Amino acid sequence: MKYAMVTGGSRGIGRAVCVKLAQMGYNVVINYVSNDAEAEKTLAMVREAGTDGEFLKFDVCDYEATVKAIEGWQAAHKGEFIEVLVNNAGVRRDNLMIWMEHEDWLKVINTSLGAFYNVTKPLLQPMLRKKFGRIINMGSLSGLKGLPGQCNYSSAKGGLIAATKALAQEIGAKNVTVNAIAPGFINTDMVEGLNVDALKETIPLKRFGEPEEVAALVGFLASRDAGYITGECISINGGLYS
């Protein structure tokens, strides 16, 4: 039985990724922190896609809680390992730096960059021992270009992309690949509050992307066909930035 874990899997891109991995034959470990109703919807969609899933509810910002949850899963699944990890969890707390609250800085950094360490580290050793793994980190256009009002988010996603490149060099010899994806504007609740019509005019394809389009790229990077790709950050932004 093959297992994949998706952090922030209850909604948006995370939900689409869960469904895509289910279509590829993975049993999906769905991480989320609070929204039980949305998580249940994701699980139903995973089952409709032909496999099964389970919840692993914890806050990726909390190192001790994360390790406890993952070690508990490992103890309950002797002989099995999570071979695909999608570090997708993220939050926005936008503001200009001059007005940004310290707690908003920390929340965004910890949810993307801190969580990369918290979740990846306890899952890494089984991948190395089995000599196979796929780690896919959800970066952002903001982490490549930098966007005003997002010093925290740009820092978190930029750091995540840099960590992707470093870890890829550390573990490539063990046949474990590490890649990042940098979505632009995608139709999820993460773009709430933005001027959608104005932003569409800045995009060569004149539209926002769909979560399923990002999930398709995740699916490719998780596949055996992508075995010679590691340390990369692939943009998916409709031509907005390269």
Side-chain angles (χ1 to χ4, degrees), residues 82-180:
I82 291 169
E83 66 178 59
V84 174
L85 167 62
V86 183
N87 285 305
N88 168 74
V91 296
R92 283 176 47 217
R93 296 287 188 274
D94 293 355
N95 212 335
L96 297 178
M97 174 66 91
I98 194 170
W99 294 311
M100 185 175 292
E101 298 291 340
H102 185 233
E103 63 184 35
D104 290 339
W105 173 269
L106 291 178
K107 179 64 175 177
V108 172
I109 296 291
N110 289 339
T111 304
S112 288
L113 188 54
F116 163 76
Y117 173 85
N118 295 347
V119 178
T120 304
K121 188 173 185 292
L123 293 176
L124 199 53
Q125 190 175 38
M127 292 183 184
L128 300 179
R129 189 169 61 247
K130 299 283 189 177
K131 294 187 177 179
F132 182 82
R134 298 283 188 265
I135 299 170
I136 302 161
N137 300 318
M138 200 60 65
S140 171
L141 167 69
S142 185
L144 294 173
K145 181 180 182 291
L147 293 175
Q150 290 195 336
C151 281
N152 49 3
Y153 196 71
S154 294
S155 297
K157 295 302 187 177
L160 183 61
I161 291 166
T164 296
K165 295 176 180 294
L167 183 59
Q169 294 183 53
E170 292 180 9
I171 61 177
K174 295 293 187 180
N175 195 36
V176 179
T177 65
V178 192
N179 291 290

Side-chain angles (χ1 to χ4, degrees), residues 40-74:
E40 289 286 355
K41 291 179 184 177
T42 299
L43 180 57
M45 294 171 71
V46 164
R47 288 172 173 164
E48 287 173 6
T51 59
D52 204 355
E54 58 190 292
F55 298 133
L56 209 56
K57 186 178 179 180
F58 61 88
D59 184 351
V60 294
C61 298
D62 186 331
Y63 175 71
E64 292 184 358
T66 300
V67 172
K68 181 179 179 181
I70 291 173
E71 289 182 346
W73 185 93
Q74 291 167 332

Side-chain angles (χ1 to χ4, degrees), residues 14-49:
R15 171 179 287 168
V17 169
C18 288
V19 173
K20 179 63 180 179
L21 292 171
Q23 292 169 347
M24 294 170 64
Y26 283 96
N27 273 35
V28 184
V29 181
I30 304 164
N31 161 258
Y32 72 106
V33 67
S34 61
N35 197 326
D36 296 332
E38 293 299 321
E40 289 286 355
K41 291 179 184 177
T42 299
L43 180 57
M45 294 171 71
V46 164
R47 288 172 173 164
E48 287 173 6

